[in-house]
Amino acid sequence: MTSANISIDGKAADYPVHAGSVGPEVIDIRKLYANTGRFTYDPGFTSTASCESKITYIDGDQGVLLHRGYPIEQLAEKSSFLEVAYLLMHGDLPSQQQHDEFKYLITRHTMVHEQLANFYRGFRRDAHPMAIMCGVVGALSAFYHDSTDIHDAKQREIACHRLIAKMPTIAAMAYKYSVGQPFLYPDNSLSYTGNFLRMTFGVPAEPYIINPVVEDALDKIFILHADHEQNASTSTVRLAGSSGANPFACIAAGIACLWGPAHGGANEAALEMLREIGRPERIPEFVARAKNKDDPFRLMGFGHRVYKNYDPRAKVLGEAATKVLDTLGISDPVLDTARELERVALSDDYFIEKKLYPNVDFYSGIILSAIGFPTSMFTALFALARTTGWIAQWTEMMEDKEQKIGRPRQLYTGSPRRDYVPIEQR
Ligand code: ACO
């Protein structure tokens, strides 16, 4: 095993260097504080591996994303969302029998407790779907007590199945509530994605006919959002879970983190930005704003902490956007604006030097909008899909013998010790 020698104040010590199957090695600095009395300082964890994982691998410089070793492009083209969920949870692609059993299990958990509908009715009609999702998913732990013992592997598995199965029902109910239509119960004869489309856009008064192009495009979007290594929301789920919180509470924490515009909320912000730009002639004005240090404006859907190359998911979605709009016969000037913005930004020195490329959020909103989703639902759909990654990562953490409560340290720059002064003497 190689080691790294770190010397401070003339005192040197060796630290083990661990190699993964691919990707950068890591320096194991767990003994650093004991040896030196110093912490490492890494706000935003830009150089810190927080855990060992076998689920997802990203090479940000090459623009590579692998789930359990399989390239995302192959999964998006050949697989289905439920199969990818199985892959993330179990480590390998399922046999036909395993696939059928998994589908049966997920399908049998799609309904939610009838009383959960009362939670929705407590929200304002104009509540953001992500606000509803945070509340309702967290509340699941109050309904499914038989799957909250995190030390029981069977209960953990049932909780995971419940979360994958119920997220479409919960997200569709959030949409139905916002438009004042009745909730629709799941139809278990449909595919995972088809069932979600029907619960969202169907009404009890007439049959809902699923458009296979829309079903396929949405399934692809779900696959592309299923997992993404130790991103902010996944790290939040792991951190929440590290204290022993139940999985429903942990996923609610992940949803809260995903909501932010620097993370999952960027898909909503990207489409709003493209609509605000409106037409290709206005692009230079917005590109100039994005480059101006004194203007907080950023090109939404551009840039990524890890990808310093084209986000492979954006490539798949860019192509899917054209196909979906063509097939649905929709001509949306926003797609032309997006394509031109991408062209202008990718030939601009500012974006080239900083290695800023379109990310997954740049094109997804255009497709979701063409399907008929309001922008406020975009991040809820992201949460629905990412739940599979969150629970796979949470399960992996629960089975990890090295797992400890997550507890970072800090560089304290506040006041040193001082004595309390009574209010009349201040
Ligand atoms: N537009 C303009 N400039 C940008 C952008 C952008 N979208 N993104 C980064 N930059 C610039 C920054 O101003 C900074 O410049 P500086 O070095 O001169 O100060 C430099 O590029 C590095 O940016 P950081 O914010 O330090 O990079 P970080 O890795 O912390 O941020 C992030 C990554 C948050 C994704 C950022 O690129 C961003 O805000 N993008 C827009 C929001 C977005 O699309 N988020 C979705 C991410 S994908 C996902 O979560 C699913």
Side-chain angles (χ1 to χ4, degrees):
M1 198 200 326
T2 51
S3 62
N5 187 274
I6 300 177
S7 164
I8 300 175
D9 293 340
K11 273 204 278 176
D14 285 333
Y15 297 87
V17 174
H18 306 299
S21 41
V22 269
E25 297 179 332
V26 301
I27 304 169
D28 182 342
I29 46 104
R30 279 178 287 184
K31 295 234 158 44
L32 185 77
Y33 180 67
N35 289 345
T36 68
R38 264 94 168 185
F39 299 129
T40 55
Y41 180 62
D42 185 18
F45 308 117
T46 54
S47 296
T48 298
S50 62
C51 61
E52 184 186 325
S53 179
K54 292 182 170 56
I55 301 174
T56 292
Y57 173 74
I58 303 174
D59 182 334
D61 294 326
Q62 300 300 319
V64 169
L65 168 60
L66 311 176
H67 290 322
R68 302 285 191 182
Y70 296 101
I72 191 68
E73 297 86 346
Q74 289 183 24
L75 294 173
E77 191 194 331
K78 298 176 181 167
S79 187
S80 68
F81 178 66
L82 262 198
E83 188 178 60
V84 172
Y86 182 97
L87 174 69
L88 291 171
M89 275 183 78
H90 296 279
D92 285 305
L93 288 168
S95 64
Q96 187 63 52
Q97 190 190 338
Q98 287 166 330
H99 182 273
D100 295 347
E101 280 168 13
F102 185 65
K103 188 168 176 231
Y104 179 86
L105 275 172
I106 298 301
T107 305
R108 260 66 210 168
H109 282 296
T110 49
M111 289 202 302
V112 292
H113 195 289
E114 194 60 21
Q115 214 172 313
L116 211 68
N118 297 336
F119 278 72
Y120 287 84
R121 299 198 172 96
F123 285 100
R124 285 167 54 130
R125 292 272 175 194
D126 61 356
H128 194 286
M130 286 298 276
I132 298 180
M133 301 278 284
C134 287
V136 172
V137 174
L140 291 179
S141 40
F143 287 90
Y144 300 103
H145 293 143
D146 58 342
S147 56
T148 50
D149 178 357
I150 56 160
H151 302 296
D152 179 336
K154 191 70 206 160
Q155 290 201 26
R156 289 203 299 267
E157 193 182 28
I158 296 171
C160 294
H161 292 155
R162 283 186 165 142
L163 277 158
I164 298 178
K166 293 184 199 308
M167 283 302 272
T169 315
I170 289 170
M173 286 171 81
Y175 173 74
K176 282 299 190 206
Y177 186 73
S178 71
V179 291
Q181 289 181 2
F183 299 138
L184 251 61
Y185 289 116
D187 177 345
N188 290 345
S189 68
L190 301 174
S191 71
Y192 184 87
T193 303
N195 183 36
F196 173 64
L197 280 167
R198 183 187 153 276
M199 285 190 290
T200 306
F201 297 119
V203 287
E206 54 192 59
Y208 177 75
I209 313 289
I210 295 168
N211 180 333
V213 176
V214 168
E215 186 182 16
D216 183 59
L218 190 58
D219 204 67
K220 251 192 195 54
I221 289 182
F222 288 165
I223 292 174
L224 294 170
H225 288 82
D227 191 47
H228 211 232
E229 208 226 52
Q230 307 311 320
N231 56 84
S233 57
T234 302
S235 298
T236 301
V237 169
R238 279 186 179 257
L239 197 55
S242 77
S243 73
N246 75 68
F248 303 107
C250 296
I251 301 304
I255 294 172
C257 177
L258 186 74
W259 194 358
H263 192 12
N267 54 15
E268 190 176 339
L271 188 67
E272 277 162 6
M273 176 195 77
L274 290 169
R275 285 194 178 134
E276 195 192 340
I277 297 174
R279 45 184 208 280
E281 303 83 72
R282 294 191 65 203
I283 287 171
E285 177 196 327
F286 283 82
V287 168
R289 282 188 60 196
K291 288 156 58 174
N292 181 355
K293 280 254 152 280
D294 300 324
D295 189 330
F297 174 79
R298 284 187 169 197
L299 282 191
M300 299 315 283
F302 253 81
H304 197 275
R305 169 59 63 77
V306 181
Y307 292 118
K308 302 302 167 198
N309 200 326
Y310 217 106
D311 179 339
R313 302 167 301 172
K315 235 181 220 152
V316 177
L317 284 175
E319 286 157 18
T322 310
K323 190 174 155 205
V324 172
L325 267 64
D326 282 355
T327 321
L328 296 179
I330 296 173
S331 146
D332 189 344
V334 160
L335 184 58
D336 301 328
T337 309
R339 294 233 180 272
E340 182 58 10
L341 178 58
E342 178 186 341
R343 193 194 63 75
V344 171
L346 293 186
S347 52
D348 187 298
D349 284 347
Y350 174 92
F351 292 88
I352 295 169
E353 274 160 27
K354 295 189 190 303
K355 299 189 177 159
L356 299 169
Y357 291 83
N359 61 47
V360 68
D361 295 318
F362 193 64
Y363 285 108
S364 63
I366 297 173
I367 302 177
L368 294 174
S369 165
I371 293 175
F373 290 103
T375 43
S376 61
M377 275 298 286
F378 292 0
T379 317
L381 298 182
F382 194 158
L384 182 168
R386 184 56 58 85
T387 295
T388 54
W390 288 332
I391 57 148
Q393 301 268 353
W394 175 81
T395 303
E396 184 179 65
M397 183 190 72
M398 296 307 296
E399 291 169 358
D400 184 350
K401 299 270 176 292
E402 306 251 316
Q403 189 264 327
K404 279 172 172 294
I405 185 168
R407 178 47 171 102
R409 302 306 299 264
Q410 62 174 7
L411 172 65
Y412 178 68
T413 52
S415 168
R417 185 193 183 285
R418 50 181 166 167
D419 289 323
Y420 180 82
V421 181
I423 196 161
E424 60 280 5
Q425 290 171 29
R426 285 176 219 157

